[in-house]
Amino acid sequence: MEFQIRKNDDKKKENIAPEEIEKRLLTWPDCYYKERSASVRMALLDEADRRGLTPEQNQVRRRLFELRYRKEPNGETTDLYMRQWMNMRFLEQSSTGLFSRKKPAKVTKLLDAMGFQEMKTEEEKRLLYQEIYHLAMLYISLCQEDKQFGSVIFGFGTVKESTLIDRIRNEIRIVAVDVPREFGCEEECRIWSDAILAASEDIFGNA
């Protein structure tokens, strides 16, 4: 699975025509995990339910959707999983001080907010893995599109592609490997780490 790099004039398109839903559902549930927009994902999920496609799995997908997305008063949608990703990144930055305390609970609290404790069965865990994989693919795509992330310094100039890839892979390594190891919760983070690393490998390879 890979997201398309979006052009500037495509980034605010959140609606989807009925005929497009019809077309995409031919590849359900893959289409759900290739879509970036929360509103379009919900439209696909609603239509899949209406047609009776993977009903039991969709109950889990809907619960993960509820945990991941929050509608704000201004109409914008917040991706809470992406927020937890950034919180995980902040843990790495805040754990380097002399008096920092690397408690596993700091990490597991972030995981719990994403439903890790709720997902008990193998099927539920598999769907959670897919959602985290989707999150990682989205993060990588956003990094590739962000001009500041790919700039040389102060937003001027653009780094070469290999340098940009190294930057992204470094961020992946921090949240998927370094933080779980440093906080002693690698097993609790297994789904988190495996899904993120798989997404990175699928895009960049394992070199």
Side-chain angles (χ1 to χ4, degrees), residues 32 38 41-42 45 59-72 77-84 109-120 124 127-128 131-132 135:
Y32 183 74
R41 296 187 86 201
M42 178 53 70
L45 182 55
Q59 291 181 22
V60 182
R61 290 190 181 99
R62 196 170 292 274
R63 175 54 183 158
L64 292 172
F65 189 98
E66 293 171 352
L67 289 168
R68 180 168 179 178
Y69 300 108
R70 183 177 68 198
K71 199 76 170 179
E72 303 294 350
T77 298
T78 298
D79 187 338
L80 298 176
Y81 277 26
M82 190 64 72
R83 177 174 293 178
Q84 300 305 351
K109 182 179 179 180
L110 302 182
L111 299 178
D112 290 348
M114 293 184 281
F116 275 68
Q117 281 296 320
E118 290 187 36
M119 303 297 114
K120 303 294 186 182
E124 290 171 341
L127 293 170
L128 175 60
E131 197 65 27
I132 300 303
L135 171 68

Side-chain angles (χ1 to χ4, degrees), residues 12 26 37 63 65 97 107-108 118 121 124 128 136 154 161 180:
K12 292 186 178 180
L26 293 174
S37 163
R63 175 54 183 158
F65 189 98
V107 174
T108 56
E118 290 187 36
T121 69
E124 290 171 341
L128 175 60
F154 300 131
E161 184 178 1

Side-chain angles (χ1 to χ4, degrees), residues 34-144:
K34 290 182 179 180
E35 177 55 49
R36 301 163 58 134
S37 163
S39 61
V40 174
R41 296 187 86 201
M42 178 53 70
L44 292 168
L45 182 55
D46 285 342
E47 184 61 18
D49 276 341
R50 193 184 72 80
R51 299 186 184 195
L53 302 176
T54 62
E56 293 183 1
Q57 295 176 6
N58 290 353
Q59 291 181 22
V60 182
R61 290 190 181 99
R62 196 170 292 274
R63 175 54 183 158
L64 292 172
F65 189 98
E66 293 171 352
L67 289 168
R68 180 168 179 178
Y69 300 108
R70 183 177 68 198
K71 199 76 170 179
E72 303 294 350
N74 62 2
E76 297 291 326
T77 298
T78 298
D79 187 338
L80 298 176
Y81 277 26
M82 190 64 72
R83 177 174 293 178
Q84 300 305 351
W85 178 298
M86 301 312 296
N87 287 337
M88 193 80 75
R89 182 67 175 84
F90 177 75
L91 283 180
E92 192 273 340
Q93 294 174 324
S94 64
S95 66
T96 56
L98 180 63
F99 300 103
S100 62
R101 304 180 67 182
K102 300 179 181 180
K103 295 183 178 180
K106 291 182 178 181
V107 174
T108 56
K109 182 179 179 180
L110 302 182
L111 299 178
D112 290 348
M114 293 184 281
F116 275 68
Q117 281 296 320
E118 290 187 36
M119 303 297 114
K120 303 294 186 182
T121 69
E122 289 304 311
E123 180 69 359
E124 290 171 341
K125 291 177 182 179
R126 183 182 70 83
L127 293 170
L128 175 60
Y129 174 98
Q130 288 185 312
E131 197 65 27
I132 300 303
Y133 182 98
H134 177 276
L135 171 68
M137 295 292 285
L138 177 59
Y139 177 85
I140 292 169
S141 294
L142 293 174
C143 288
Q144 290 173 322

